[in-house]
Amino acid sequence: MSSSNIHRNNDLTGRNLFRSAELFGRGQRVITGGNARLTIFQRPHPIYFTKGIGVHLVDVDGNTYLDFLNNFTALIHGHGCRPVLDRLHHQLEMGISFSGPTELEVEFAELLCDRVPYFDQVRFVNSGTEAVMYTIKAARALTGRLKIAKLEGAFHGGYDAIEVSLDSAPSNWGPRSVPNAIPYSAGISESLAADTVVLPFNEIGATREILERNRDKLAAVIIDILPQRAGLVPIDPTYLAFLREFTARHGIVLISDEVMSFRLSYRGGISRFGFEADLCAFAKIIGGGLPIGAVGGPSRFMLPFDSTNGKPLVPQAGTFSANPMSMAAGIATMQSLSEQSFQQFEHLGEYARASLNEIFRQNRLPYSVTGMGSMFRIHLRAEAPKGYREAHAAAEQQRKMDMFVRALQDRDVIVSPTCQLCLSTPMSIDHVEEMVTGVREAAQMVEAA
Ligand SMILES: Cc1ncc(COP(=O)(O)O)c(C=O)c1O
């Protein structure tokens, strides 16, 4: 397809995106699907970026946007955070990666263990997917059991054991109180999916019944305290307390996937609720924009990775695990995140959610907003969803969402395809107000259409 053809299909209005269209055309010839990340794909083509400056992004056609996505929540300081750049420049000169450990990984592990109350130790990997995978392997090794329980609709990355019940639909999701385990990707066998038990989010009675039935076979219960795909609805503290108590009583490992929710407080996600996980998988913000993942927890749960006495139960290596560039960026990022940064996120996040609710009410827009702290998500439904089933968009609703997201891009605001947004530390009330105006105009345009 020629780039002009692609561009003619573009229903973005009044915006020159010729270079993006052209690059997608070129990409399609040599990259399967045209680009390398499913989550950033949009029809007719994604926007290709060249530069990030603070809260802004510039695309290849010279358009400037407010970045309310921050590489899917990873860039907590936005673009070009000075301490991160300085530390990276220094590390570039010192060496990009070595076939041996560095002081940086010790320094970074100390920083993280100081912050998160229940961490004695951490291990570094290269992505959130890997971090989740290793928590599951460790849980299986520790318990000698195979089954994993997860929340309906929650996304935990691309590892087979957990790629279940991500996009199930009314036709296959089964009863609300006993959700079906539907494989997300082709190639996941039924027997593999059968080792993954799906829990109805925030519903204690039904969850207890499922857990009781499986308790002797369960290695782990993996949770996300603010699951994006399940609506970005916070976990109910009573539900969390129940899961914590049940797993402890039955020797099941409680894994907190904080790949996104680690940005919810100075001490991480589950700590915000006053609870401790047995193992935590985290990534995104701790890499300061570079690839990273990590597993953390009390020493006895981290034991499967210990190789000091011979082959560990769970061998974990990785050419780029704990590479000095990611460590350097991570240290500078986390050092620049104070308790006060999180207080500001709380205020600005509350202000953003309240302002959005206000414009929805004032303009009679059937929209709602969910979220917590620095993260929020807009839903094209009047009543905020309670979990995955209400947040799930049927095909027509998804088309409307696509149109809304593109209308926001037209108004210089970048959000995720599901309309997830997040704050970065350089953001102020002015940026939030600019975003809110964009949302109002985009919503009015979509509703008029
Ligand atoms: C909650 C959660 N877990 C795991 C992952 C996978 O992380 P990565 O994309 O770094 O592999 C993501 C990615 O968005 C996520 O949001």
Side-chain angles (χ1 to χ4, degrees):
M1 202 190 305
S2 78
S3 59
S4 57
N5 276 343
I6 295 170
H7 196 254
R8 229 173 284 140
N9 291 333
N10 196 342
D11 60 0
L12 288 161
T13 52
R15 166 85 68 213
N16 171 3
L17 291 172
F18 289 108
R19 281 277 297 141
S20 277
E22 194 178 275
L23 283 173
F24 185 63
R26 261 173 70 195
Q28 275 185 307
R29 286 193 284 277
V30 284
I31 305 171
T32 313
N35 70 273
R37 286 166 77 181
L38 172 69
T39 40
I40 53 118
F41 177 70
Q42 65 171 162
R43 285 191 183 78
H45 59 78
I47 298 175
Y48 287 66
F49 297 108
T50 50
K51 203 154 80 177
I53 317 149
V55 301
H56 291 109
L57 279 171
V58 182
D59 74 12
V60 285
D61 290 286
N63 304 301
T64 302
Y65 306 85
L66 254 182
D67 188 4
F68 266 92
L69 189 50
N70 293 296
N71 196 10
F72 286 78
T73 75
L75 295 163
I76 199 151
H77 295 303
H79 303 272
C81 172
R82 186 37 61 195
V84 177
L85 294 189
D86 287 348
R87 195 118 190 193
L88 278 175
H89 284 145
H90 172 74
Q91 194 54 44
L92 258 180
E93 298 297 331
M94 298 295 288
I96 296 172
S97 64
F98 311 117
S99 37
T102 63
E103 187 174 345
L104 290 167
E105 71 191 70
V106 181
E107 185 186 342
F108 197 18
E110 285 169 347
L111 185 158
L112 294 166
C113 291
D114 277 351
R115 282 211 179 188
V116 185
Y118 62 95
F119 282 9
D120 292 326
Q121 294 172 339
V122 300
R123 294 280 293 200
F124 293 107
V125 291
N126 296 293
S127 68
T129 294
E130 254 188 277
V132 167
M133 175 181 81
Y134 280 114
T135 58
I136 291 173
K137 287 185 173 200
R140 286 176 166 167
L142 282 161
T143 58
R145 305 173 190 157
L146 260 186
K147 284 196 172 189
I148 305 293
K150 73 174 290 273
L151 304 173
E152 184 173 37
F155 174 68
H156 298 285
Y159 179 47
D160 284 9
I162 206 75
E163 267 194 303
V164 170
S165 174
L166 294 189
D167 68 347
S168 40
S171 59
N172 64 5
W173 62 28
R176 192 179 180 98
S177 55
V178 200
N180 288 337
I182 306 294
Y184 178 56
S185 165
I188 297 181
S189 68
E190 275 176 26
S191 61
L192 196 68
D195 281 335
T196 305
V197 174
V198 184
L199 306 174
F201 183 47
N202 278 345
E203 294 182 22
I204 296 186
T207 296
R208 181 185 283 115
E209 279 184 29
I210 298 172
L211 290 179
E212 284 288 358
R213 269 200 303 281
N214 290 281
R215 68 178 200 208
D216 297 332
K217 297 193 182 95
L218 274 174
V221 171
I222 181 164
I223 55 167
D224 182 341
I225 55 152
L226 189 64
Q228 197 283 122
R229 281 181 77 104
L232 210 74
V233 178
I235 199 163
D236 178 340
T238 323
Y239 186 72
L240 178 55
F242 158 71
L243 290 178
R244 181 58 287 185
E245 191 278 324
F246 188 96
T247 49
R249 185 149 46 93
H250 295 289
I252 300 164
V253 179
L254 182 68
I255 300 172
S256 184
D257 176 351
E258 303 198 2
V259 171
M260 268 191 196
S261 63
F262 200 69
R263 64 151 52 223
L264 281 181
S265 90
Y266 184 75
R267 303 192 185 283
I270 201 170
S271 308
R272 180 186 167 124
F273 287 74
F275 288 90
E276 298 185 349
D278 298 325
L279 286 172
C280 174
F282 51 125
K284 293 202 195 270
I285 67 162
I286 63 157
L290 268 66
I292 201 163
V295 178
S299 316
R300 68 194 174 94
F301 288 95
M302 296 296 289
L303 212 53
F305 303 115
D306 189 353
S307 58
T308 46
N309 294 317
K311 182 178 167 255
L313 285 175
V314 178
Q316 179 261 309
T319 307
F320 295 105
S321 294
N323 75 80
M325 295 297 283
S326 296
M327 297 295 103
I331 292 167
T333 298
M334 297 308 284
Q335 282 175 340
S336 305
L337 267 183
S338 61
E339 305 239 20
Q340 203 193 347
S341 318
F342 288 94
Q343 282 162 15
Q344 280 165 5
F345 279 149
E346 286 305 307
H347 293 139
L348 206 53
E350 274 312 309
Y351 179 77
R353 283 183 286 274
S355 306
L356 287 167
N357 274 325
E358 188 54 21
I359 56 144
F360 298 153
R361 195 188 58 76
Q362 271 176 7
N363 298 282
R364 295 174 196 277
L365 292 162
Y367 290 42
S368 53
V369 59
T370 52
M372 189 180 229
S374 61
M375 291 192 277
F376 39 110
R377 182 174 161 188
I378 296 170
H379 304 270
L380 306 197
R381 64 196 312 275
E383 203 183 322
K386 293 192 170 61
Y388 176 70
R389 295 196 179 198
E390 291 87 27
H392 176 267
E396 194 175 326
Q397 189 80 346
Q398 191 52 53
R399 272 195 295 279
K400 193 170 161 188
M401 180 59 94
D402 293 346
M403 193 196 278
F404 179 60
V405 167
R406 286 198 296 268
L408 271 173
Q409 289 169 355
D410 261 2
R411 286 155 185 82
D412 309 325
V413 183
I414 296 293
V415 302
S416 86
T418 55
C419 215
Q420 186 191 357
L421 294 86
C422 70
L423 303 174
S424 60
T425 52
M427 279 183 177
S428 65
I429 285 201
D430 288 349
H431 299 123
V432 169
E433 285 180 349
E434 221 177 301
M435 175 275 290
V436 171
T437 303
V439 167
R440 180 179 48 74
E441 289 176 7
Q444 285 171 330
M445 193 279 268
V446 167
E447 292 308 308

